[in-house]
Amino acid sequence: MTNAADVRVWAVVPAAGIGERMASDCPKQYLELGGRSILEHALRRVAGHPRVRGVLPVIREGDPFWPGVRRRLGDLARLLPEVPGGASRQDSVGQGLAGLEPLAPEDLVLIHDAVRPCLGEAEIDAVIDAARDGHGSILAVPVADTLKRVTDGQQIEATVDRSQLWRAQTPQVFPAGPLKAALEMAREREWPATDEASIMEAAGYTVGIAPGRVDNLKITRPEDLSIARAVLESRWSG
Ligand code: C5P
């Protein structure tokens, strides 16, 4: 087990996606919520945490929206220079890790989606603390709805037991050494993955859960914006 006070924590925020499901004029991380882009909220939440030494944004090559956001983040001392993203989320995270070098194998790397603007300080603490055991930890929430498996013709095929099911969120926090090894394995073997924990699991590492909050929303569809706006107002205004 690593001593929580000594361990160095670095963050990567992959923000090189296009966000096809949002159907907006710009990638969804640049949509505005309360006068700030979603990406700006996400970077400020992570960079403002006292245990995070530096935050590295991963940005699509030639992204025309980033320079304006970068200027507005001029006051963030712990924001590191951005690196260009890759074709997949995994590639982008790999680029981010390379941009953080030199990393000690035991340094923790916290990965947070650019499209989760409602992350609280307590949740960051919880996931970093839980990452001291095993090979890392992710924020997650238990599934509350009853789950149905549905056919292409929209008929219910089965009700799925939800008792052991959790929804994975970010941050996801892993020691740099095992994370690099798992990403390399995933690249060589072409494992598809929608988060880093699944790559760590497939590579044989033990990943834990830190219970999170349902309002750590991932902005995916237009209706998520009004919910996120309400969460930001209720948790952080005034
Ligand atoms: O596409 P999805 O919503 O799963 O993206 C999750 C996060 O990964 C977003 O912050 C997105 O910008 C990022 N991403 C990336 N590079 C890609 C694809 C997605 O940085 N090629």
Side-chain angles (χ1 to χ4, degrees):
M1 186 185 282
T2 318
N3 185 328
D6 296 342
V7 75
R8 295 192 301 178
V9 183
W10 304 95
V12 171
V13 174
I18 309 167
E20 285 157 306
R21 283 167 292 186
M22 184 60 81
S24 57
D25 294 339
C26 62
K28 57 187 174 176
Q29 59 271 29
Y30 293 110
L31 295 173
E32 293 248 327
L33 283 177
R36 282 182 172 164
S37 67
I38 291 170
L39 174 58
E40 190 177 340
H41 282 290
L43 289 169
R44 283 188 183 279
R45 302 249 76 92
V46 178
H49 193 283
R51 288 164 80 179
V52 175
R53 296 194 171 207
V55 180
L56 186 144
V58 184
I59 306 293
R60 196 161 42 92
E61 193 110 56
D63 180 338
F65 302 99
W66 169 246
V69 172
R70 179 72 189 84
R71 265 194 303 279
R72 283 196 293 281
L73 290 167
D75 60 309
L76 270 192
R78 278 179 273 171
L79 189 67
L80 302 171
E82 74 278 5
V83 297
S88 69
R89 177 202 168 94
Q90 278 167 260
D91 292 340
S92 294
V93 170
Q95 299 271 85
L97 268 184
L100 286 176
E101 291 294 356
L103 279 172
E106 65 278 11
D107 282 357
L108 292 179
V109 180
L110 177 154
I111 300 152
H112 184 56
D113 289 334
V115 286
R116 290 188 190 268
C118 305
L119 174 66
E121 188 168 314
E123 293 89 84
I124 299 179
D125 273 321
V127 71
I128 292 174
D129 286 341
R132 288 179 296 150
D133 303 326
H135 299 114
S137 170
I138 70 169
L139 274 189
V141 289
V143 169
D145 297 313
T146 300
L147 294 180
K148 306 293 185 189
R149 187 177 312 118
V150 177
T151 64
D152 289 345
Q154 305 215 324
Q155 301 251 310
I156 294 174
E157 204 172 66
T159 298
V160 179
D161 178 13
R162 69 177 182 204
S163 60
Q164 290 190 297
L165 297 182
W166 291 61
R167 292 195 288 132
Q169 302 180 338
T170 71
Q172 304 200 346
V173 183
F174 310 101
L179 177 61
K180 272 194 265 185
L183 279 170
E184 184 57 27
M185 222 182 267
R187 204 182 52 78
E188 278 169 10
R189 301 180 193 179
E190 297 182 9
W191 290 336
T194 51
D195 74 348
E196 286 62 52
S198 50
I199 295 170
M200 293 289 287
E201 295 153 36
Y205 294 108
T206 310
V207 180
I209 290 285
R213 293 173 54 118
V214 288
D215 58 12
N216 177 25
L217 299 167
K218 181 177 182 189
I219 307 290
T220 308
R221 298 185 179 81
E223 62 266 32
D224 297 330
L225 287 170
S226 51
I227 305 172
R229 203 167 281 125
V231 173
L232 287 174
E233 271 170 24
S234 71
R235 288 194 79 185
W236 286 285
S237 72

mmCIF file of all heavy atoms in Angstrom, residues 173-209:
data_model
loop_
_atom_site.group_PDB
_atom_site.id
_atom_site.type_symbol
_atom_site.label_atom_id
_atom_site.label_comp_id
_atom_site.label_asym_id
_atom_site.label_seq_id
_atom_site.Cartn_x
_atom_site.Cartn_y
_atom_site.Cartn_z
ATOM 1 N N VAL A 173 -8.291 6.213 -11.512
ATOM 2 C CA VAL A 173 -6.934 6.503 -11.021
ATOM 3 C C VAL A 173 -6.121 5.213 -10.947
ATOM 4 O O VAL A 173 -6.576 4.236 -10.336
ATOM 5 C CB VAL A 173 -6.995 7.155 -9.610
ATOM 6 C CG1 VAL A 173 -5.590 7.512 -9.128
ATOM 7 C CG2 VAL A 173 -7.873 8.391 -9.615
ATOM 8 N N PHE A 174 -4.939 5.205 -11.558
ATOM 9 C CA PHE A 174 -4.110 4.003 -11.594
ATOM 10 C C PHE A 174 -2.641 4.383 -11.389
ATOM 11 O O PHE A 174 -2.215 5.471 -11.804
ATOM 12 C CB PHE A 174 -4.215 3.312 -12.962
ATOM 13 C CG PHE A 174 -5.632 3.104 -13.414
ATOM 14 C CD1 PHE A 174 -6.206 3.959 -14.360
ATOM 15 C CD2 PHE A 174 -6.401 2.074 -12.887
ATOM 16 C CE1 PHE A 174 -7.530 3.781 -14.766
ATOM 17 C CE2 PHE A 174 -7.715 1.894 -13.295
ATOM 18 C CZ PHE A 174 -8.271 2.742 -14.228
ATOM 19 N N PRO A 175 -1.851 3.439 -10.855
ATOM 20 C CA PRO A 175 -0.404 3.684 -10.825
ATOM 21 C C PRO A 175 0.136 3.710 -12.254
ATOM 22 O O PRO A 175 -0.303 2.926 -13.111
ATOM 23 C CB PRO A 175 0.159 2.486 -10.055
ATOM 24 C CG PRO A 175 -1.004 1.687 -9.580
ATOM 25 C CD PRO A 175 -2.219 2.140 -10.282
ATOM 26 N N ALA A 176 1.072 4.603 -12.509
ATOM 27 C CA ALA A 176 1.543 4.825 -13.883
ATOM 28 C C ALA A 176 2.126 3.563 -14.521
ATOM 29 O O ALA A 176 1.873 3.296 -15.706
ATOM 30 C CB ALA A 176 2.579 5.951 -13.893
ATOM 31 N N GLY A 177 2.897 2.780 -13.750
ATOM 32 C CA GLY A 177 3.561 1.603 -14.325
ATOM 33 C C GLY A 177 2.557 0.603 -14.899
ATOM 34 O O GLY A 177 2.589 0.291 -16.103
ATOM 35 N N PRO A 178 1.633 0.074 -14.066
ATOM 36 C CA PRO A 178 0.631 -0.851 -14.577
ATOM 37 C C PRO A 178 -0.247 -0.236 -15.679
ATOM 38 O O PRO A 178 -0.586 -0.916 -16.651
ATOM 39 C CB PRO A 178 -0.213 -1.181 -13.339
ATOM 40 C CG PRO A 178 0.721 -1.005 -12.189
ATOM 41 C CD PRO A 178 1.619 0.136 -12.585
ATOM 42 N N LEU A 179 -0.579 1.041 -15.568
ATOM 43 C CA LEU A 179 -1.427 1.655 -16.602
ATOM 44 C C LEU A 179 -0.720 1.674 -17.949
ATOM 45 O O LEU A 179 -1.308 1.339 -18.991
ATOM 46 C CB LEU A 179 -1.818 3.082 -16.180
ATOM 47 C CG LEU A 179 -2.649 3.867 -17.211
ATOM 48 C CD1 LEU A 179 -3.975 3.164 -17.508
ATOM 49 C CD2 LEU A 179 -2.915 5.289 -16.700
ATOM 50 N N LYS A 180 0.569 2.026 -17.934
ATOM 51 C CA LYS A 180 1.332 2.045 -19.197
ATOM 52 C C LYS A 180 1.397 0.643 -19.794
ATOM 53 O O LYS A 180 1.199 0.456 -21.002
ATOM 54 C CB LYS A 180 2.752 2.563 -18.944
ATOM 55 C CG LYS A 180 2.840 4.064 -19.051
ATOM 56 C CD LYS A 180 4.282 4.511 -19.129
ATOM 57 C CE LYS A 180 4.779 4.876 -17.767
ATOM 58 N NZ LYS A 180 6.109 5.424 -17.709
ATOM 59 N N ALA A 181 1.655 -0.353 -18.935
ATOM 60 C CA ALA A 181 1.752 -1.741 -19.421
ATOM 61 C C ALA A 181 0.416 -2.184 -20.025
ATOM 62 O O ALA A 181 0.376 -2.809 -21.099
ATOM 63 C CB ALA A 181 2.156 -2.655 -18.272
ATOM 64 N N ALA A 182 -0.687 -1.847 -19.366
ATOM 65 C CA ALA A 182 -2.002 -2.280 -19.851
ATOM 66 C C ALA A 182 -2.358 -1.580 -21.164
ATOM 67 O O ALA A 182 -2.904 -2.198 -22.087
ATOM 68 C CB ALA A 182 -3.060 -1.986 -18.783
ATOM 69 N N LEU A 183 -2.048 -0.293 -21.261
ATOM 70 C CA LEU A 183 -2.351 0.437 -22.508
ATOM 71 C C LEU A 183 -1.538 -0.126 -23.678
ATOM 72 O O LEU A 183 -2.036 -0.231 -24.806
ATOM 73 C CB LEU A 183 -2.056 1.934 -22.341
ATOM 74 C CG LEU A 183 -3.126 2.764 -21.629
ATOM 75 C CD1 LEU A 183 -2.591 4.153 -21.321
ATOM 76 C CD2 LEU A 183 -4.405 2.881 -22.455
ATOM 77 N N GLU A 184 -0.304 -0.489 -23.389
ATOM 78 C CA GLU A 184 0.557 -1.049 -24.424
ATOM 79 C C GLU A 184 -0.002 -2.400 -24.905
ATOM 80 O O GLU A 184 -0.082 -2.673 -26.102
ATOM 81 C CB GLU A 184 1.970 -1.200 -23.836
ATOM 82 C CG GLU A 184 3.040 -1.694 -24.788
ATOM 83 C CD GLU A 184 3.184 -0.826 -26.029
ATOM 84 O OE1 GLU A 184 2.863 0.372 -25.963
ATOM 85 O OE2 GLU A 184 3.596 -1.371 -27.080
ATOM 86 N N MET A 185 -0.440 -3.219 -23.936
ATOM 87 C CA MET A 185 -1.035 -4.523 -24.258
ATOM 88 C C MET A 185 -2.299 -4.322 -25.107
ATOM 89 O O MET A 185 -2.513 -5.023 -26.084
ATOM 90 C CB MET A 185 -1.417 -5.200 -22.939
ATOM 91 C CG MET A 185 -1.102 -6.674 -22.863
ATOM 92 S SD MET A 185 -1.670 -7.340 -21.284
ATOM 93 C CE MET A 185 -0.221 -7.176 -20.316
ATOM 94 N N ALA A 186 -3.113 -3.331 -24.717
ATOM 95 C CA ALA A 186 -4.360 -3.074 -25.441
ATOM 96 C C ALA A 186 -4.078 -2.621 -26.875
ATOM 97 O O ALA A 186 -4.788 -2.986 -27.813
ATOM 98 C CB ALA A 186 -5.173 -1.999 -24.706
ATOM 99 N N ARG A 187 -3.004 -1.844 -27.040
ATOM 100 C CA ARG A 187 -2.646 -1.356 -28.367
ATOM 101 C C ARG A 187 -2.179 -2.515 -29.258
ATOM 102 O O ARG A 187 -2.648 -2.689 -30.372
ATOM 103 C CB ARG A 187 -1.553 -0.288 -28.244
ATOM 104 C CG ARG A 187 -1.476 0.687 -29.408
ATOM 105 C CD ARG A 187 -0.330 1.670 -29.219
ATOM 106 N NE ARG A 187 0.942 1.025 -28.938
ATOM 107 C CZ ARG A 187 1.721 0.446 -29.845
ATOM 108 N NH1 ARG A 187 1.366 0.437 -31.105
ATOM 109 N NH2 ARG A 187 2.856 -0.129 -29.490
ATOM 110 N N GLU A 188 -1.295 -3.348 -28.691
ATOM 111 C CA GLU A 188 -0.768 -4.485 -29.465
ATOM 112 C C GLU A 188 -1.857 -5.472 -29.850
ATOM 113 O O GLU A 188 -1.893 -5.994 -30.947
ATOM 114 C CB GLU A 188 0.277 -5.235 -28.633
ATOM 115 C CG GLU A 188 1.637 -4.591 -28.674
ATOM 116 C CD GLU A 188 2.574 -5.208 -27.640
ATOM 117 O OE1 GLU A 188 2.229 -6.244 -27.041
ATOM 118 O OE2 GLU A 188 3.645 -4.602 -27.429
ATOM 119 N N ARG A 189 -2.786 -5.724 -28.908
ATOM 120 C CA ARG A 189 -3.799 -6.767 -29.148
ATOM 121 C C ARG A 189 -5.114 -6.200 -29.673
ATOM 122 O O ARG A 189 -6.096 -6.917 -29.815
ATOM 123 C CB ARG A 189 -4.026 -7.560 -27.863
ATOM 124 C CG ARG A 189 -2.732 -8.196 -27.401
ATOM 125 C CD ARG A 189 -2.898 -8.999 -26.141
ATOM 126 N NE ARG A 189 -1.569 -9.323 -25.604
ATOM 127 C CZ ARG A 189 -1.341 -10.002 -24.492
ATOM 128 N NH1 ARG A 189 -2.356 -10.443 -23.791
ATOM 129 N NH2 ARG A 189 -0.125 -10.241 -24.092
ATOM 130 N N GLU A 190 -5.134 -4.875 -29.857
ATOM 131 C CA GLU A 190 -6.303 -4.171 -30.409
ATOM 132 C C GLU A 190 -7.579 -4.439 -29.613
ATOM 133 O O GLU A 190 -8.624 -4.745 -30.167
ATOM 134 C CB GLU A 190 -6.490 -4.537 -31.894
ATOM 135 C CG GLU A 190 -5.299 -4.091 -32.724
ATOM 136 C CD GLU A 190 -5.471 -4.399 -34.214
ATOM 137 O OE1 GLU A 190 -6.565 -4.803 -34.606
ATOM 138 O OE2 GLU A 190 -4.494 -4.216 -34.947
ATOM 139 N N TRP A 191 -7.465 -4.325 -28.273
ATOM 140 C CA TRP A 191 -8.646 -4.466 -27.425
ATOM 141 C C TRP A 191 -9.492 -3.200 -27.565
ATOM 142 O O TRP A 191 -8.977 -2.095 -27.362
ATOM 143 C CB TRP A 191 -8.266 -4.575 -25.953
ATOM 144 C CG TRP A 191 -7.590 -5.852 -25.562
ATOM 145 C CD1 TRP A 191 -7.680 -7.054 -26.194
ATOM 146 C CD2 TRP A 191 -6.729 -6.045 -24.438
ATOM 147 N NE1 TRP A 191 -6.940 -7.981 -25.533
ATOM 148 C CE2 TRP A 191 -6.338 -7.401 -24.447
ATOM 149 C CE3 TRP A 191 -6.268 -5.220 -23.425
ATOM 150 C CZ2 TRP A 191 -5.502 -7.939 -23.477
ATOM 151 C CZ3 TRP A 191 -5.431 -5.752 -22.463
ATOM 152 C CH2 TRP A 191 -5.056 -7.089 -22.486
ATOM 153 N N PRO A 192 -10.772 -3.341 -27.832
ATOM 154 C CA PRO A 192 -11.614 -2.154 -27.821
ATOM 155 C C PRO A 192 -11.973 -1.825 -26.369
ATOM 156 O O PRO A 192 -12.100 -2.731 -25.547
ATOM 157 C CB PRO A 192 -12.863 -2.605 -28.585
ATOM 158 C CG PRO A 192 -12.911 -4.087 -28.391
ATOM 159 C CD PRO A 192 -11.508 -4.566 -28.119
ATOM 160 N N ALA A 193 -12.091 -0.553 -26.025
ATOM 161 C CA ALA A 193 -12.433 -0.217 -24.631
ATOM 162 C C ALA A 193 -13.048 1.168 -24.574
ATOM 163 O O ALA A 193 -12.667 2.063 -25.326
ATOM 164 C CB ALA A 193 -11.183 -0.248 -23.767
ATOM 165 N N THR A 194 -14.015 1.336 -23.681
ATOM 166 C CA THR A 194 -14.605 2.661 -23.505
ATOM 167 C C THR A 194 -14.108 3.325 -22.221
ATOM 168 O O THR A 194 -14.469 4.462 -21.948
ATOM 169 C CB THR A 194 -16.148 2.584 -23.481
ATOM 170 O OG1 THR A 194 -16.527 1.573 -22.535
ATOM 171 C CG2 THR A 194 -16.703 2.235 -24.854
ATOM 172 N N ASP A 195 -13.340 2.605 -21.429
ATOM 173 C CA ASP A 195 -12.673 3.263 -20.298
ATOM 174 C C ASP A 195 -11.347 2.561 -20.007
ATOM 175 O O ASP A 195 -11.058 1.506 -20.590
ATOM 176 C CB ASP A 195 -13.588 3.346 -19.061
ATOM 177 C CG ASP A 195 -13.763 2.005 -18.349
ATOM 178 O OD1 ASP A 195 -13.381 0.958 -18.913
ATOM 179 O OD2 ASP A 195 -14.284 2.015 -17.219
ATOM 180 N N GLU A 196 -10.554 3.166 -19.123
ATOM 181 C CA GLU A 196 -9.222 2.618 -18.847
ATOM 182 C C GLU A 196 -9.327 1.424 -17.902
ATOM 183 O O GLU A 196 -8.511 0.508 -17.979
ATOM 184 C CB GLU A 196 -8.314 3.695 -18.234
ATOM 185 C CG GLU A 196 -7.843 4.745 -19.218
ATOM 186 C CD GLU A 196 -8.983 5.560 -19.829
ATOM 187 O OE1 GLU A 196 -9.814 6.090 -19.056
ATOM 188 O OE2 GLU A 196 -9.050 5.660 -21.062
ATOM 189 N N ALA A 197 -10.345 1.414 -17.008
ATOM 190 C CA ALA A 197 -10.470 0.289 -16.067
ATOM 191 C C ALA A 197 -10.634 -1.020 -16.827
ATOM 192 O O ALA A 197 -10.054 -2.037 -16.447
ATOM 193 C CB ALA A 197 -11.654 0.521 -15.133
ATOM 194 N N SER A 198 -11.391 -1.014 -17.917
ATOM 195 C CA SER A 198 -11.615 -2.283 -18.627
ATOM 196 C C SER A 198 -10.311 -2.809 -19.226
ATOM 197 O O SER A 198 -10.102 -4.019 -19.307
ATOM 198 C CB SER A 198 -12.716 -2.151 -19.679
ATOM 199 O OG SER A 198 -12.497 -1.043 -20.488
ATOM 200 N N ILE A 199 -9.412 -1.904 -19.593
ATOM 201 C CA ILE A 199 -8.109 -2.335 -20.109
ATOM 202 C C ILE A 199 -7.277 -2.927 -18.965
ATOM 203 O O ILE A 199 -6.632 -3.965 -19.118
ATOM 204 C CB ILE A 199 -7.381 -1.131 -20.748
ATOM 205 C CG1 ILE A 199 -8.160 -0.648 -21.967
ATOM 206 C CG2 ILE A 199 -5.950 -1.497 -21.133
ATOM 207 C CD1 ILE A 199 -7.664 0.670 -22.507
ATOM 208 N N MET A 200 -7.321 -2.259 -17.805
ATOM 209 C CA MET A 200 -6.593 -2.774 -16.639
ATOM 210 C C MET A 200 -7.138 -4.154 -16.247
ATOM 211 O O MET A 200 -6.374 -5.069 -15.952
ATOM 212 C CB MET A 200 -6.745 -1.801 -15.456
ATOM 213 C CG MET A 200 -6.084 -0.457 -15.651
ATOM 214 S SD MET A 200 -4.281 -0.551 -15.603
ATOM 215 C CE MET A 200 -3.979 -0.829 -13.850
ATOM 216 N N GLU A 201 -8.454 -4.308 -16.257
ATOM 217 C CA GLU A 201 -9.062 -5.606 -15.909
ATOM 218 C C GLU A 201 -8.587 -6.681 -16.884
ATOM 219 O O GLU A 201 -8.169 -7.770 -16.485
ATOM 220 C CB GLU A 201 -10.594 -5.527 -16.007
ATOM 221 C CG GLU A 201 -11.261 -4.587 -15.028
ATOM 222 C CD GLU A 201 -12.595 -4.071 -15.585
ATOM 223 O OE1 GLU A 201 -13.314 -4.827 -16.269
ATOM 224 O OE2 GLU A 201 -12.906 -2.893 -15.356
ATOM 225 N N ALA A 202 -8.655 -6.361 -18.192
ATOM 226 C CA ALA A 202 -8.279 -7.344 -19.213
ATOM 227 C C ALA A 202 -6.806 -7.725 -19.090
ATOM 228 O O ALA A 202 -6.423 -8.850 -19.410
ATOM 229 C CB ALA A 202 -8.567 -6.782 -20.600
ATOM 230 N N ALA A 203 -5.990 -6.786 -18.597
ATOM 231 C CA ALA A 203 -4.561 -7.065 -18.449
ATOM 232 C C ALA A 203 -4.274 -7.809 -17.138
ATOM 233 O O ALA A 203 -3.118 -8.106 -16.840
ATOM 234 C CB ALA A 203 -3.773 -5.755 -18.502
ATOM 235 N N GLY A 204 -5.320 -8.084 -16.346
ATOM 236 C CA GLY A 204 -5.153 -8.908 -15.146
ATOM 237 C C GLY A 204 -4.928 -8.123 -13.861
ATOM 238 O O GLY A 204 -4.599 -8.706 -12.834
ATOM 239 N N TYR A 205 -5.109 -6.812 -13.890
ATOM 240 C CA TYR A 205 -4.923 -6.018 -12.677
ATOM 241 C C TYR A 205 -6.227 -5.958 -11.869
ATOM 242 O O TYR A 205 -7.310 -6.166 -12.417
ATOM 243 C CB TYR A 205 -4.476 -4.587 -13.033
ATOM 244 C CG TYR A 205 -3.098 -4.537 -13.660
ATOM 245 C CD1 TYR A 205 -2.938 -4.259 -15.014
ATOM 246 C CD2 TYR A 205 -1.962 -4.774 -12.897
ATOM 247 C CE1 TYR A 205 -1.679 -4.214 -15.590
ATOM 248 C CE2 TYR A 205 -0.697 -4.730 -13.470
ATOM 249 C CZ TYR A 205 -0.565 -4.450 -14.813
ATOM 250 O OH TYR A 205 0.677 -4.412 -15.379
ATOM 251 N N THR A 206 -6.083 -5.624 -10.577
ATOM 252 C CA THR A 206 -7.249 -5.532 -9.693
ATOM 253 C C THR A 206 -7.636 -4.066 -9.530
ATOM 254 O O THR A 206 -6.828 -3.264 -9.071
ATOM 255 C CB THR A 206 -6.895 -6.091 -8.293
ATOM 256 O OG1 THR A 206 -6.303 -7.365 -8.481
ATOM 257 C CG2 THR A 206 -8.126 -6.203 -7.422
ATOM 258 N N VAL A 207 -8.831 -3.735 -9.918
ATOM 259 C CA VAL A 207 -9.292 -2.342 -9.859
ATOM 260 C C VAL A 207 -10.480 -2.257 -8.904
ATOM 261 O O VAL A 207 -11.406 -3.075 -8.986
ATOM 262 C CB VAL A 207 -9.705 -1.841 -11.263
ATOM 263 C CG1 VAL A 207 -10.180 -0.391 -11.204
ATOM 264 C CG2 VAL A 207 -8.543 -1.967 -12.247
ATOM 265 N N GLY A 208 -10.442 -1.266 -8.014
ATOM 266 C CA GLY A 208 -11.514 -1.102 -7.032
ATOM 267 C C GLY A 208 -12.511 -0.029 -7.438
ATOM 268 O O GLY A 208 -12.356 0.659 -8.447
ATOM 269 N N ILE A 209 -13.529 0.083 -6.602
ATOM 270 C CA ILE A 209 -14.608 1.056 -6.820
ATOM 271 C C ILE A 209 -14.618 2.054 -5.669
ATOM 272 O O ILE A 209 -14.489 1.660 -4.513
ATOM 273 C CB ILE A 209 -15.974 0.303 -6.788
ATOM 274 C CG1 ILE A 209 -16.150 -0.598 -8.009
ATOM 275 C CG2 ILE A 209 -17.138 1.252 -6.642
ATOM 276 C CD1 ILE A 209 -16.460 0.136 -9.266
#
